[in-house]
Amino acid sequence: MKNKLVGKNVLITAGAQGIGESITRHFIDSGANVAIHYFSSADVADELVEYATGLGQKAVAISGDLTKEADANALVEKSVEALGGLDILINNAGSLVARRLLNEMDIEFWNKVMDINLTSMMFVTRAASPHLAANTDSSIVNLASLAGRKGGHPGSLVYSTSKGAILTMTRALSSELGPQGIRVNAVAPGLILGTSFHNTHTSKESADATTASIPIQRAGNAADVARAVVYLASEYDGFITGATLDINGGVYNM
């Protein structure tokens, strides 16, 4: 796997916090060049750039609000300019924002979460696809969620809906971009502790109850997800596309 990734150019959205930071580190450790998008984690992004360049690899940190079309386009252009091309896109940016039930929902909140999780992914993928298609084999990995499979916990209606849409977007893109030599897959993480997402939106009581129901009797961690993302991205000569890899310890296995 590492040999396949040496010298490859990778763009990771929200690549400086939580699961995204772990994904970025795994790609760097595999010998890839990285463009690290961030929204607020400038210090970590700079640390990751220093880590990669210290190993002799290209790296750049780029800020931006990906719900804005211009920022998404600029991110891709700056990444290609800094790295010299693009082989892999990791669509990791997303957020629950807050928990709201249906009777608390307003259109502004609905649109905000949809824009963060879904529209931003479309913007970045649309801008990146011509650069990915310029290579013989390229790969996209989208970050979905177990919530997109099961519907999530109460208060995650719009988040779960957006993540379910990412599963469908992944299948649609795999059909559309496959003839251009671009494979498109997704991962759907379950309970991944130690990230700002669950630190913010999941109580200890809820995390403990969920962990108790996991067949392998532990919650996941960011590295569990990162390893799967790197695997899907690295299979340049593989036959896997349009697939979603569930990373949840056996909670959902259909």
Side-chain angles (χ1 to χ4, degrees), residues 85-87 128-138 180-182:
L86 193 62
D87 300 290
S129 61
H131 301 285
L132 294 168
N135 303 313
T136 303
D137 295 289
S138 297
Q180 300 175 38
I182 305 170

Side-chain angles (χ1 to χ4, degrees), residues 126 129 169-182 184:
R126 186 182 62 188
S129 61
M169 179 184 281
T170 297
R171 293 190 293 270
L173 286 172
S174 71
S175 295
E176 182 173 333
L177 300 182
Q180 300 175 38
I182 305 170
V184 188

Side-chain angles (χ1 to χ4, degrees), residues 96 105 109-110 113-114 117 155-163:
L96 186 146
M105 191 66 61
F109 183 79
W110 177 273
V113 178
M114 282 293 184
N117 294 336
S156 63
L157 170 64
V158 60
Y159 174 81
S160 300
T161 301
S162 67
K163 290 297 186 177

Side-chain angles (χ1 to χ4, degrees), residues 111-128:
N111 287 339
K112 179 177 182 178
V113 178
M114 282 293 184
D115 284 348
I116 291 171
N117 294 336
L118 194 61
T119 306
S120 66
M121 185 177 292
M122 183 276 289
F123 284 154
V124 175
T125 304
R126 186 182 62 188

Side-chain angles (χ1 to χ4, degrees), residues 168-207:
T168 301
M169 179 184 281
T170 297
R171 293 190 293 270
L173 286 172
S174 71
S175 295
E176 182 173 333
L177 300 182
Q180 300 175 38
I182 305 170
R183 293 182 311 103
V184 188
N185 292 293
V187 296
L191 179 63
I192 307 298
L193 295 183
T195 65
S196 60
F197 180 99
H198 284 293
N199 291 342
T200 302
H201 301 295
T202 304
S203 68
K204 184 179 185 304
E205 292 75 17
S206 176

Side-chain angles (χ1 to χ4, degrees), residues 29 37 53 59 91 100 104 106 115 119 126 144 152 154 158 160 163 165 178 181 190 231 247:
D29 289 340
H37 161 260
T53 55
N91 283 312
R100 289 196 187 180
E104 302 169 322
D106 58 71
D115 284 348
T119 306
R126 186 182 62 188
V158 60
S160 300
K163 290 297 186 177
Y231 165 72
I247 308 168

Side-chain angles (χ1 to χ4, degrees), residues 8-69:
K8 297 296 183 180
N9 300 317
V10 188
L11 167 58
I12 308 106
T13 65
Q17 64 175 357
I19 291 172
E21 179 185 354
S22 185
I23 290 171
T24 300
R25 289 189 181 278
H26 276 71
F27 274 113
I28 293 171
D29 289 340
S30 297
N33 305 313
V34 293
I36 307 157
H37 161 260
Y38 69 93
F39 182 69
S40 59
S41 305
D43 290 345
V44 176
D46 289 341
E47 290 172 8
L48 290 167
V49 168
E50 184 177 355
Y51 177 52
T53 55
L55 295 173
Q57 293 152 225
K58 296 178 184 177
V60 62
I62 305 167
S63 65
D65 178 353
L66 301 184
T67 66
K68 297 177 180 178
E69 185 175 1

